[in-house]
Every structure is written in structure tokens, then in C-alpha cells.
Amino acid sequence: MNHNTESLLPAAAVAPTAAASAPAAPSGRKRSLQQRRARAAWVLVTPALVLLAAVAGWPLLRTLFYSFTDAALDTPEEYSFVGLANYLDFADGERFGVLADPLWWQAVWNTLWFTAASVSLELVFGMLLALLMNQKFRGQGLVRAAILVPWAIPTIVTAKMWGWMFHDQYGVINDLLTRLGLITEPLAWIAEPTLSMWAVVIADVWKTVPFMALMLLAALQMIPSDLYEAARVDGANAWQRFRRITLPLIMPAMIVALIFRVMDALRVFDLIYVLTSNSEATISISGYAREQMVSFQEMGAGSAASVLVFMMVAGIAACFLWINRFSHEGKESRE
Amino acid sequence: MKLTRKQKELGSRLWIYLAALVVSVICVFPFYNAILTSLRTGQDLFLTNYLPTTFHWENYVNALVENGVGLSLLNSFIVATVTVGVCLMVSITAAFALARVRFRGRKYILFTILCVSMFPQVAVLSGMFELVRFMGLYDSLGALILSYTTFSLPFTVWVLTTFMRSLPVELEEAAIVDGAGLWVIITKVFAPIMGPSLVTTGLLAFIGAWNEFMFALTFIISTENRTVPVAIGLLQGASQYELPWGNIMAASVVVTVPIIALVLIFQKRIVSGLTAGAVKG
């Protein structure tokens, strides 16, 4: 546990605070100052914690509660307990519930596929972009401004813009591909089930590569340049320098950036909802849960799906932390 | 023939400039294309052209006035500003305690806050729906302010904590020696020098609230209370084949220009805010 928090909150564990860095003289006055500060700290943190408990903790608990009921969205106060029936139920030799719904499993598959495809593409392009930005060249400021544009554009606008560019008859994507001679007739990017997921991935990668690149760039800029000079003197080529110096040194930052992006991709909703109108080929788990709850008014089933989404995201986060701890321990034992 | 060192260097320069050009074009082109589309009407819309052909401003008038995007802009502005204001007020004291005071449970609080910021929004949707109805906020901007706090507050606490940590210890020690209490230290010593960081954090949280879609789609029914993302998301013509692309693109441009302007003005700060906390490991 400590390891987990430390690796994610490095500064919290390492950075000396005022109280800690003051000489730890065991005089009574000093200790009382520290104790007073600690007590005051709780007072200072309390408003934020109370507010968080009210807007995040409580709704989460209620969602869990509703997942065991048959409440409808328009009459949430009339409900009865149905146990786990919203999740999985057997009746007359048939299975019911979210876990028995093929569309749920389709959504799970879509979400995992979307996450894997877009985050890995993003990592590759983000790394390339960060390496480019790390070079000194004239007009760097302009490029930096340009890559901030996709990040700044609201997701809904991204979805609409790319929806228009992917238009089967009038979209520029088909036009460009035709002009380049790559396709002979226009592709139905949004309507074709096999293509629509790619359309979503492309739009997402376009929007989020800048974030990844900026994270990696910040890490790159902290590598002392004499390391590279020494390696050059020793005759290491560019790939070796990247593999042996750059990669290990930016690894911690890369892992944190990856965790952020994976968590983000797993809860994707708006991009898919607006770009492909929640078609079955691209529906995400968040989209599925919301559809059950709002479109079908099934608060119980929708809550059950929401809880499953939450558990899936939390499970993957826990895996990440576990792997992270594992790699940290490995490093320590090697040292 | 072996290339001289100078030629090699020139070659790699060339590659860098080429790559920079390609990257810039890919980043900016979709928005450029949206602007082009927003200036076309009628049949022109359906000619794929890479240069401006016509300059019609009707789309903008249509989008802002007839489709009500103008009102939605105002709503978005109110919701985002109030959310950010509330979150910053609450989080500045919390961030001070979490960054500057060593106390039991601090690590767990930070860890909890990080976890909350990674919640999938849909996980609180039905609970939030009940809360919103209970408070009589359904279909009002208040519902959005309340629900946006779920993801804005962890974010502002987190980033402000990171910024607070980077301030020198001496500042605080001097204040303690002068006999200042915690409250005085926060309001008279830290708050003034935190100004720039507050702006950065506020701006990032503002963008987050400005862009939110799921809660806004679920908790708002009436057209006049819609925020901008929902207004654009639901902008539709008479049928599926009559999507008013000109209007949609005009609305998209209107919504995006202020954000892009802010981001470009505060470029350096935005980047430091984005990377705060994530890279220090």
C-alpha cells in the first residue's frame, strides 16, 4: 500500500515539508507546534473532504444500492429489492441481467479494444512527437502552439469535426485518400461497423497525442545532456542512446501518463456517443450503462452496469499499481 | 562518397523541419476545415475544397441566435465559472494542509482524492440523479454545478497541492518566526504568490467543466438550460440526411475559439499545469 501511494505520489512521500525539514529537536515547544499544525490541517482539509463525500462518495454508494433494486428512473422512490437479479438471474432455464446481455459483452470488448488501440498508438506518436519537440529548431514555439490546438478543442467539437471529415460523400478524408490513389470509391467510415471503431480511434488519437507528448517532453527535458555526450563518445548510436538512456529515465513518467490515459480511455463516452450515435459496433461500457438508465429508464439495470464499469476501471487501476509496485521492488532488489 | 559532418547536420535539420511541418498541419487541419465549412452554405458545402471559396456569415447567425447556441454559451460560462470558484475556494486550504503540514492520514487522503479523480462518471450517475432530484435541482444549472464538483474538486486539490509543494520552505518559516498562525500564512503569505498557479488550475478546471457532456446531457432537459457541448451534440436537421453541417461547424468554431485563445495566451502555464504531479516521479 505504501509503495503504491509513494510511486504515484512521489513528492508527497519525498518532498520535505516545512514541519519535517525543521530540525527535529525533541523540545516540547517544537512538538506542540507540530501537533497544533497537524490538528489545524484536519480543519483545513475537512471542507474539501465533506464536499467530496457528498458529491462523489454518497452518489457512488447510492448507485451500488440501486443496482440491487428494480427502480425506474422516473420513480426512483418506488423500488423493491431484487438481489443480484440485475447482474445475473436464472428463470425458466434462461439467463437475464447485464452479465447475460450480449450487448454488454460487446461493449466490454469495444471498450477494451478502443483503449488498447488508442493508448498504444498514442504512446508511439506521443513519444515521436516528444522527441521532435525536444530538438532545438526555429519555429518551435509555433509547433508547440499547434499541438495544443487539438487538446484545447472540446471533445464534442472533435467528434463533430471528425464526423464531418469522415462523411462518406463529402468528407475530406475520403477525398484525400482518393486523390492519393489509396481508395477507388468512398468508404462509409461511420456506417460501416468495421471502420467506425477506427474512426473513433483516429479522432481520439488526434485529440490526445498532445497530452501524452507534453508529459513525455517534460520528462525528456529533465535528462542531463552530458549523459548523451558520454554515450556518444563511447560510440553508442542513436537507437542505443534512446534504448539505454532515454527510455529507462523517462519510464516512471511514461507509466504515470499511461495510467492516466488508460483510465480516461476506459470511461470514454462522449466521443463515441456523438461520432457514431452509440451504434452497437462502437458502444462503450459507459454508453451501455447510460443507455440502460436513461434511454430505457431502467435505473436498477443501469446502476448494475455502472457498478460493473466502476469495478472494471478500479480493477485495471489496481493491476497497474500492482505492476508498478512489482517493478519498483525489482529495481530495489537489483540495486 | 561520405557526407561531411556539415551535410549530415543539414540533412537532419531538413528532416526535423519536415516533421514539424507535418505535425503542425495534422494538428491544425481539422479545425481549419471546420472554419472553411462554417463559411459555406447551400451547395458549396458539398464541394470538397481546401481553400476558402465563399464567406457566408449566415451560419454563425443561425447557430448563435436560431439554434440557441448563444444562450448555451452563457450557460456554460456560468456553470464553469461557479464550479471553478467553489472548487478553488475549498481546495486552497486543503492543498495547503496536504502539501505543507505533515499529519497522520495525509497519504491516504491524497490517494483517495486521486482515486476519485479517476472515477468513471457513469458510476455516480444514478446516485447523482437521485441527489439532484432530492435537492430540486433537476433541469437547472445548479445540477451541473453540483455534479461537476465531483471531478473538478479532486483535480484542483491535486494540482494545487503539487504547486504548493514547489514553494520554498523559508517563506513559511519566516512567517512562523514572526508569529503568524496558519490562517495568516495561507491568506497573507501563500495566497498572493499562488496567484499564477490559481489561474492555471482554474483555467484547466474551467476547460474540464466547459467540455463536460454526460451529466449535462442527462440532467438538463429544456433547451434554454443546455450547455454548449449538449447544444452542439444535439444540433440536428429535419432528418438524418439533412444535418446542418454549416451551422454545426459555425457553432463548433464559436465554442472553440475562446478556449484556444486562452490556451495559447497561457501556453507555458497550461503545460506546467498539465504536467504537474504526473511527471515529478
Side-chain angles (χ1 to χ4, degrees):
Chain A
M1 185 68 191
N2 277 349
H3 261 295
N4 300 348
T5 45
E6 263 168 34
S7 51
L8 268 177
L9 323 167
V14 179
T17 58
S21 67
S27 75
R29 220 183 138 251
K30 194 105 223 166
R31 193 176 299 142
S32 77
L33 174 68
Q34 206 162 315
Q35 275 170 350
R36 261 187 291 142
R37 281 172 65 92
R39 210 166 307 141
W42 275 106
V43 180
L44 294 175
V45 176
T46 303
L49 288 184
V50 169
L51 197 53
L52 261 189
V55 296
W58 174 249
L60 187 67
L61 287 177
R62 291 302 285 179
T63 301
L64 186 64
F65 170 82
Y66 275 119
S67 75
F68 301 119
T69 70
D70 62 354
L73 193 70
D74 49 348
T75 51
E77 52 287 323
E78 292 166 29
Y79 59 81
S80 52
F81 285 101
V82 294
L84 291 170
N86 286 324
Y87 295 91
L88 192 60
D89 195 19
F90 296 91
D92 306 327
E94 277 203 75
R95 293 186 298 164
F96 297 95
V98 172
L99 289 171
D101 186 351
L103 186 58
W104 162 257
W105 292 108
Q106 170 78 35
V108 169
W109 168 248
N110 287 345
T111 308
L112 292 177
W113 198 92
F114 168 80
T115 304
S118 73
V119 175
S120 50
L121 283 174
E122 221 180 291
L123 184 64
V124 173
F125 288 125
M127 191 71 236
L128 289 174
L129 188 50
L131 287 172
L132 173 70
M133 301 291 295
N134 201 30
Q135 305 285 328
K136 281 199 184 70
F137 59 92
R138 218 176 293 161
Q140 202 163 23
L142 281 179
V143 179
R144 186 188 274 254
I147 70 163
L148 277 172
V149 168
W151 175 81
I153 292 179
T155 315
I156 296 307
V157 173
T158 307
K160 285 285 180 196
M161 270 178 5
W162 282 88
W164 173 231
M165 289 182 19
F166 279 128
H167 196 282
D168 48 357
Q169 290 173 60
Y170 314 115
V172 293
I173 303 279
N174 277 334
D175 186 62
L176 280 173
L177 291 176
T178 315
R179 279 177 201 229
L180 289 171
L182 292 172
I183 53 171
T184 46
E185 49 188 74
L187 301 172
W189 286 94
I190 306 298
E192 186 85 39
T194 46
L195 282 177
S196 56
M197 194 41 123
W198 279 109
V200 173
V201 169
I202 291 170
D204 189 65
V205 168
W206 177 80
K207 186 179 164 50
T208 44
V209 159
F211 174 81
M212 185 64 102
L214 290 172
M215 293 282 173
L216 296 177
L217 179 63
L220 280 180
Q221 286 175 338
M222 284 198 276
I223 302 177
S225 60
D226 42 344
L227 279 178
Y228 291 107
E229 270 154 43
R232 217 185 288 249
V233 170
D234 289 343
N237 63 30
W239 169 248
Q240 284 169 327
R241 292 198 298 269
F242 176 74
R243 174 81 185 67
R244 302 278 172 185
I245 302 175
T246 313
L247 218 48
L249 284 175
I250 62 165
M251 196 54 96
M254 200 152 105
I255 288 174
V256 174
L258 271 181
I259 296 177
F260 274 94
R261 281 302 311 144
V262 167
M263 294 293 113
D264 242 16
L266 284 174
R267 48 187 187 184
V268 62
F269 168 72
D270 39 5
L271 182 69
I272 292 180
Y273 183 86
V274 174
L275 190 56
T276 63
S277 334
N278 243 12
S279 81
E280 284 191 14
T282 54
I283 191 169
S284 68
I285 47 176
S286 288
Y288 175 91
R290 189 185 174 277
E291 191 179 46
Q292 293 288 323
M293 193 143 45
V294 181
S295 310
F296 306 154
Q297 298 278 309
E298 305 236 17
M299 199 169 187
S303 300
S306 301
V307 171
L308 289 173
V309 173
F310 179 77
M311 288 190 338
M312 213 172 113
V313 172
I316 291 178
C319 283
F320 261 121
L321 291 174
W322 187 75
I323 292 169
N324 203 16
R325 183 172 84 162
F326 205 67
S327 65
H328 268 268
E329 268 168 11
K331 215 186 290 165
E332 271 155 28
S333 65
R334 247 180 289 143
E335 271 159 10
Chain B
M1 191 188 98
K2 240 186 154 178
L3 291 171
T4 63
R5 211 187 142 146
K6 212 161 191 180
Q7 280 171 321
K8 257 193 198 163
E9 201 149 284
L10 202 73
S12 68
R13 290 269 95 175
L14 219 71
W15 278 114
I16 289 176
Y17 282 113
L18 194 67
L21 186 72
V22 170
V23 165
S24 310
V25 168
I26 292 177
C27 285
V28 178
F29 179 75
F31 190 56
Y32 169 76
N33 188 52
I35 297 175
L36 285 191
T37 308
S38 72
L39 294 171
R40 295 184 180 144
T41 55
Q43 281 312 107
D44 287 348
L45 258 176
F46 304 112
L47 300 171
T48 326
N49 238 317
Y50 296 93
L51 292 169
T53 45
T54 51
F55 290 94
H56 290 286
W57 297 98
E58 292 102 281
N59 287 324
Y60 285 88
V61 179
N62 271 341
L64 284 174
V65 182
E66 280 175 33
N67 295 323
V69 174
L71 190 58
S72 304
L73 276 169
L74 184 67
N75 290 335
S76 276
F77 185 78
I78 294 171
V79 169
T81 313
V82 176
T83 308
V84 171
V86 170
C87 289
L88 281 184
M89 270 199 309
V90 179
S91 52
I92 187 164
T93 57
F96 174 83
L98 289 168
R100 295 260 151 199
V101 185
R102 181 159 277 225
F103 63 97
R104 230 173 231 264
R106 179 177 70 162
K107 256 199 253 174
Y108 297 103
I109 293 177
L110 273 167
F111 189 66
T112 311
I113 287 173
L114 185 71
C115 288
V116 174
S117 72
M118 293 198 171
F119 265 17
Q121 275 179 337
V122 79
V124 293
L125 196 61
S126 61
M128 187 59 86
F129 190 86
E130 190 198 22
L131 187 66
V132 160
R133 273 177 58 128
F134 173 75
M135 296 178 80
L137 292 173
Y138 188 62
D139 196 22
S140 77
L141 296 184
L144 298 186
I145 294 167
L146 188 75
S147 53
Y148 289 2
T149 311
T150 315
F151 61 88
S152 291
L153 187 60
F155 174 80
T156 52
V157 172
W158 184 259
V159 180
L160 281 182
T161 303
T162 319
F163 279 133
M164 282 264 190
R165 243 182 234 139
S166 61
L167 296 173
V169 177
E170 288 77 13
L171 263 177
E172 204 181 343
E173 283 174 347
I176 293 175
V177 170
D178 288 347
L182 273 185
W183 187 245
V184 175
I185 293 176
I186 295 174
T187 53
K188 296 272 160 66
V189 181
F190 277 96
I193 45 171
M194 284 294 282
S197 314
L198 286 175
V199 171
T200 310
T201 317
L203 201 58
L204 286 168
F206 186 91
I207 292 174
W210 181 268
N211 293 348
E212 203 283 333
F213 184 65
M214 188 192 274
F215 289 144
L217 184 68
T218 310
F219 298 145
I220 300 292
I221 302 233
S222 39
T223 325
E224 63 268 21
N225 285 338
R226 274 181 190 160
T227 54
V228 159
V230 181
I232 291 180
L234 299 184
L235 208 75
Q236 254 152 19
S239 79
Q240 203 196 335
Y241 302 98
E242 279 182 47
L243 279 181
W245 284 109
N247 289 356
I248 294 176
M249 288 302 133
S252 302
V253 172
V254 170
V255 177
T256 310
V257 164
I259 299 289
I260 289 190
L262 280 177
V263 167
L264 293 185
I265 292 168
F266 292 99
Q267 224 190 97
K268 286 238 168 68
R269 317 201 130 276
I270 292 282
V271 172
S272 71
L274 272 181
T275 46
V279 182
K280 298 246 160 69

